[in-house]
Amino acid sequence: MRALVYHGPGQISWDTVKDPVIEDPADAVVRVDATTVCGTDLHILRGDLPEVKPGTILGHEAVGEVMEVGSDVHHLRPGDQVIVSSVSACGHCPACRDTMRGQCREGGGWILGNLINGTQAEFARVPFADFSTHLRPSALPLDDAVLLAEVLPTAYEVGVRNAEVGPGDTLVVVGAGPVGLACVVVARLYSPRRIIVVDLSSARLEAAARVRPDAAELPGTMIAELSEGPGADVVIEASGEPDGFVLCTRAVRAGGHIANIGTHGKPVTLHLESLWRKNVTISTGQVDAYSIPWLMELVRFGRLPVSQLVTHTFGLDRMEDAYEVFSHGTTTGALKVVLHRE
């Protein structure tokens, strides 16, 4: 088969590799019909995640057809259409039973495209298949379905839910990338009074108009007004940049909440000298993807209009082109890029 192989920082190629096989009775092999590129993949390319070894197939989000299952897989059969979760879950350890699947203690968590071969390929081996895949309704388009593998659960679980967004809140999202704008879409379920998106990229701010926030601006004036006024009830850090987190601390009101959702590859300064008296709650986390079934129903019945998050589509064999467009999202305006089997 063909797959995107990581060869070390800054080096990837679309190569011919061995087909995946069942290695454990709980495995399934899935034909990849759609996959996408994540900001975390870019962090791998920058060398921020040294645990990813050269020779690894990247990617941790996919939709496809089950081709083969192991003897311990009881809820899937060949021919099933599935969403492959970005998080692999054994389903039995204390962390999994407590819905913290990203912290699975039995060999799961974020392993696809990280510790084992991932989904940016024609076929993928999926560990713990019973707990790490979800049947895709036939009416759910591929492009919407692939967003459920990670970006929507991340926006909901690590952003909106952790931050306790509620009716009447002023919400600021720092970073107008795909996850930040997914937070805008999901947050509307909780009736905030105002949603503001800030970013340094004019192309990203133009892309933000696709999800219709109440304001999408450069951070200067907006953040100054918030820091000098009542402040935002909730601020979501979705840029993954040190300056983005500092902006969050300036924008949040006393008693407010900062939810860190960005992947940080550089040290970030926590200015407790400015925060200690503000009663601010800061939450962090890795997605657990437990919310996929619930979010899938909302997408399926039109409660979450997410198709506008996809800005570019490619064939699987144009994986390197997709990385090029996505990695320059601040100039191209790219949000999610989706690759289809042709």
Side-chain angles (χ1 to χ4, degrees):
M1 72 170 185
R2 303 278 282 172
L4 189 83
V5 180
Y6 172 69
H7 300 289
Q11 302 177 64
I12 53 174
S13 60
W14 182 246
D15 294 343
T16 299
V17 299
K18 292 181 179 179
D19 290 350
V21 296
I22 301 294
E23 298 180 17
D24 183 275
D27 289 349
V29 172
V30 173
R31 185 191 71 195
V32 175
D33 293 330
T35 186
T36 183
V37 183
C38 176
T40 309
D41 297 322
L42 301 185
H43 279 280
I44 293 171
L45 274 184
R46 294 175 191 139
D48 295 336
L49 297 164
E51 67 267 25
V52 182
K53 304 303 181 187
T56 301
I57 297 170
L58 296 185
H60 48 271
E61 303 160 81
V63 179
E65 181 177 327
V66 176
M67 307 302 292
E68 185 180 1
V69 297
S71 58
D72 283 352
V73 177
H74 304 295
H75 302 302
L76 296 176
R77 61 184 181 183
D80 283 345
Q81 301 292 318
V82 294
I83 297 167
V84 177
S85 172
S86 60
V87 173
S88 302
C90 77
H92 303 295
C93 73
C96 286
R97 291 200 303 269
D98 199 28
T99 71
M100 293 192 299
R101 298 176 177 181
Q103 309 298 325
C104 176
R105 300 178 185 177
E106 298 296 330
W110 174 42
I111 57 175
L112 288 171
N114 178 17
L115 303 180
I116 68 172
N117 285 333
T119 61
Q120 290 170 1
E122 294 178 322
F123 297 89
R125 179 178 74 90
V126 181
F128 308 116
D130 273 341
F131 298 97
S132 306
T133 63
H134 303 270
L135 293 175
R136 176 176 72 92
S138 59
L140 185 65
L142 286 175
D143 286 6
D144 289 356
V146 78
L147 299 177
L148 289 158
E150 184 186 48
V151 65
L152 289 175
T154 300
Y156 169 67
E157 297 170 15
V158 189
V160 173
R161 183 179 182 276
N162 274 5
E164 300 178 353
V165 175
D169 281 350
T170 294
L171 166 64
V172 173
V173 179
V174 176
V179 179
L181 297 186
C183 288
V184 174
V185 175
V186 176
R188 286 206 180 91
L189 295 172
Y190 296 89
S191 303
R193 180 177 66 87
R194 194 178 186 206
I195 302 177
I196 301 163
V197 175
V198 297
D199 200 289
L200 293 173
S201 164
S202 57
R204 279 276 164 88
L205 292 175
E206 290 175 9
R210 297 168 68 96
V211 299
R212 302 187 305 279
D214 296 294
E217 303 182 10
L218 294 169
T221 302
M222 180 63 68
I223 296 298
E225 290 177 355
L226 287 167
S227 61
E228 293 170 6
D233 302 288
V234 177
V235 187
I236 294 177
E237 202 301 297
S239 73
E241 296 295 332
D243 289 345
F245 184 81
V246 174
L247 283 176
C248 292
T249 64
R250 291 178 54 200
V252 71
R253 68 167 174 81
H257 196 129
I258 298 172
N260 183 80
I261 200 171
T263 301
H264 290 272
K266 301 174 185 177
V268 179
T269 301
L270 177 62
H271 289 285
L272 283 175
E273 75 278 6
S274 302
L275 292 174
W276 69 269
R277 66 175 65 196
K278 289 184 70 174
N279 291 30
V280 170
T281 300
I282 299 173
S283 61
T284 67
Q286 177 175 290
V287 67
D288 297 304
Y290 66 83
S291 61
I292 290 176
W294 178 69
L295 292 168
M296 180 163 49
E297 292 302 290
L298 292 175
V299 172
R300 181 183 176 194
F301 291 105
R303 291 293 307 280
L304 278 181
V306 297
S307 59
Q308 62 266 40
L309 294 174
V310 176
T311 55
H312 296 75
T313 57
F314 299 88
L316 270 181
D317 61 351
R318 294 186 60 199
M319 188 69 70
E320 292 169 271
D321 293 337
Y323 264 81
E324 180 70 15
V325 169
F326 183 71
S327 65
H328 293 92
T330 55
T331 55
T332 64
L335 297 177
K336 291 303 280 184
V337 299
V338 176
L339 299 105
H340 298 126
R341 170 179 293 276
E342 294 184 325

